[in-house]
Amino acid sequence: MAGNRGDELVVAGMRPQSFLGASNPYAPVHRGTTLILFIDSLILLFVTYALTNMLAPSMVQIATGVGAGLLTMNWLAYRRKSKLAYWIAPLIIGFASLFFFFEAVSMLYIGNYLFAFLMIWACFGSVRRVLTHFHSGYRHAYHETTEIIPDLPLESGEMYAACPTCLAVLAIRPAMLHSSDRCPHCQNQLVSDELSSKYEQE
């Protein structure tokens, strides 16, 4: 491996280009959650339309219009990191995950296993986005407040980094990371195979 790469160090497992223009390592997580919130808002709007059309057809246009306005306002607020939108967003994503779950059950019942798998995958992805909001690091990054990290003893050559999957704060040795290294909390890779092979060739 090359000698001094201090200017290239990134959060374990994240690609350097993911942080262009980012002020903190949680910025890519916020961008990804914002995209998921947009998609799940459309799904919630569709559910609102379907239920209103079934229960009160004369109110479809009003309910859909009001729902679209509120969901758009919330999405824009979350994108701007509004404090009010912080907990509204996971509620919307949570409702969408329930929709995915029930769709998966219905698809399994009729034997459409491919679509059921996609719905289950979407459900788990949405649940993970909801759980992200309970992580103190993401919460502090969203509200732009200072997180007090416990005084963990670091040995020579170690530094703090966040797991790219569960965002747990870890003490790592950047020069010794390998694609086989796993997070002790979520058991996912800390470094991608691509990133690991790149620096092993240097």
Side-chain angles (χ1 to χ4, degrees):
M1 298 179 67
N4 184 11
R5 294 204 320 272
D7 58 339
E8 296 181 9
L9 293 179
V10 296
V11 175
M14 292 290 195
R15 293 175 297 175
Q17 56 266 34
S18 298
F19 291 92
L20 293 178
S23 58
N24 59 71
Y26 297 104
V29 181
H30 177 257
R31 288 196 297 270
T33 305
T34 301
L35 176 61
I36 295 299
L37 176 62
F38 177 77
I39 296 172
D40 287 354
S41 295
L42 291 178
I43 293 172
L44 186 59
L45 184 62
F46 169 76
V47 172
T48 302
Y49 169 81
L51 290 177
T52 307
N53 191 43
M54 182 175 59
L55 301 175
S58 61
M59 299 292 292
V60 168
Q61 291 185 346
I62 296 176
T64 304
V66 172
L70 292 175
L71 291 170
T72 300
M73 289 174 57
N74 179 73
W75 179 75
L76 292 173
Y78 188 85
R79 189 180 179 187
R80 295 193 304 268
K81 298 184 179 180
S82 167
K83 293 182 179 180
L84 180 62
Y86 185 78
W87 289 113
I88 298 177
L91 283 176
I92 293 173
I93 298 174
F95 278 121
S97 67
L98 287 176
F99 171 80
F100 294 139
F101 174 77
F102 288 119
E103 280 293 307
V105 171
S106 64
M107 290 299 105
L108 286 173
Y109 181 76
I110 65 175
N112 192 338
Y113 300 112
L114 176 60
F115 199 75
F117 170 78
L118 293 176
M119 289 295 100
I120 292 173
W121 178 76
C123 179
F124 277 109
S126 293
V127 169
R128 282 180 57 190
R129 293 292 176 173
V130 171
L131 295 178
T132 297
H133 292 78
F134 292 93
H135 190 278
S136 61
Y138 182 75
R139 185 168 62 250
H140 284 287
Y142 181 94
H143 295 297
E144 297 182 349
T145 55
T146 302
E147 180 183 13
I148 300 176
I149 299 177
D151 188 17
L152 301 175
L154 290 178
E155 298 180 0
S156 177
E158 290 185 337
M159 63 176 288
Y160 290 122
C163 169
T165 303
C166 69
L167 305 180
V169 177
L170 307 171
I172 66 167
R173 296 178 185 267
M176 299 178 64
L177 281 177
H178 189 267
S179 59
S180 61
D181 292 326
R182 302 279 174 172
C183 172
H185 299 280
C186 66
Q187 301 304 316
N188 286 308
Q189 279 184 303
L190 292 176
V191 180
S192 66
D193 295 327
E194 178 185 356
L195 187 63
S196 177
S197 61
K198 173 185 174 181
Y199 288 118
E200 284 177 354
Q201 294 172 1
E202 293 183 0

